[in-house]
Amino acid sequence: MATTDAPIGAQAFIPPRADTLDELKAAAAGCEGCELYENATQTVFGRGAPHARIVFVGEQPGDVEDQKGLPFVGPAGRLLREAVDDAGIDPAGVYITNAVKHFRFELRGKRRIHQNPGPAHITACRPWLVAEFALLNPQLVVVLGATAAKALLGPAFRVTRSRGQLMPWPASAQHPEDFPVAEIQALATIHPSAVLRADDRDAAYSGLVSDLKTAAAALT
Ligand code: SF4
């Protein structure tokens, strides 16, 4: 069994010759690469078009996603879908996933309160992201928030400083060799849950849509 101090990581659970995202998803259902599987309801794997032009990477499933087994179906997901629509991105050409695939939370009474995944969880779960990217062939990667940025772009990357800027991908990735795809682009922006928490929600939403419009314009 995995322990909190030394997660064994997801690599051991990844089928060596998975040809499809569905195969990966089925295998991820049994992942015990870190302790987060112990209290969460289920693994929440990515979903969307296998031939997606844009891959969105978020943080981790929330309470609703944990119960439904699907990413971005809670309040933040609804907001992201609105923003994608307002930015003129075709949702049929999108694949969406998370850096960490189990819900991390703290119980307060009967309420499950979201907790950010730690560096060990991000590292433990990263092989699933790498495996997803090995089967995807997007034109653009959109990194949503600090946790996804840590997983993909490294711990020194600051979303607040560099959001909305197109970057070469995989050259801007931490360990670009993990992502053997043709030269494409990446862009980081805030996580939609940050819009929900913002004092000025309208301004935060406009900023998210503006970043996504930059992403949309980069598609060929
Ligand atoms: S969070 Fe990731 S590494 Fe940890 S058990 Fe879940 S799928 Fe496996």
Side-chain angles (χ1 to χ4, degrees):
M1 179 181 290
T3 67
T4 305
D5 293 335
I8 60 173
Q11 192 62 51
F13 298 89
I14 295 179
R17 281 177 293 278
D19 292 326
T20 67
L21 291 162
D22 283 344
E23 281 177 64
L24 287 183
K25 180 178 178 177
C31 185
E32 299 181 0
C34 72
E35 85 284 3
L36 294 186
Y37 80 92
E38 293 173 357
N39 296 323
T41 307
Q42 58 195 314
T43 308
V44 180
F45 206 68
R47 71 165 173 166
H51 304 292
R53 299 171 79 202
I54 304 187
V55 174
F56 285 87
V57 181
E59 183 197 71
Q60 66 162 351
D63 186 61
V64 177
E65 287 85 1
D66 170 78
Q67 293 172 48
K68 296 196 171 173
L70 295 169
F72 286 89
V73 291
R78 275 196 297 280
L79 188 138
L80 180 63
R81 282 197 296 280
E82 276 176 39
V84 163
D85 197 40
D86 286 345
I89 295 170
D90 178 4
V94 163
Y95 181 86
I96 188 150
T97 192
N98 283 306
V100 172
K101 290 173 170 53
H102 274 105
F103 179 34
R104 188 183 192 207
F105 60 92
E106 179 183 44
L107 262 185
R108 286 194 207 145
K110 289 187 177 168
R111 293 183 61 213
R112 305 195 302 172
I113 308 297
H114 167 279
Q115 275 194 305
N116 291 333
H121 305 121
I122 295 169
T123 300
C125 212
R126 192 174 188 272
W128 287 119
L129 264 187
V130 172
E132 286 172 291
F133 271 94
L135 294 176
L136 293 161
N137 191 20
Q139 292 180 16
L140 189 78
V141 180
V142 176
V143 179
L144 298 168
T147 296
K150 283 190 187 104
L152 288 175
L153 305 170
F157 187 87
R158 295 284 172 272
V159 175
T160 45
R161 201 165 55 208
S162 302
R163 63 177 289 184
Q165 297 174 17
L166 290 166
M167 304 171 285
W169 179 270
S172 54
Q174 189 186 34
H175 303 303
E177 67 279 10
D178 286 347
F179 304 99
V181 294
E183 281 296 323
I184 57 170
Q185 298 190 91
L187 174 143
T189 186
I190 57 172
H191 194 279
S193 63
V195 176
L196 296 173
R197 290 194 306 268
D199 293 335
D200 187 342
R201 202 184 276 199
D202 288 347
Y205 180 76
S206 295
L208 174 62
V209 172
S210 172
D211 290 346
L212 295 184
K213 282 182 176 171
T214 302
L219 295 174
T220 56

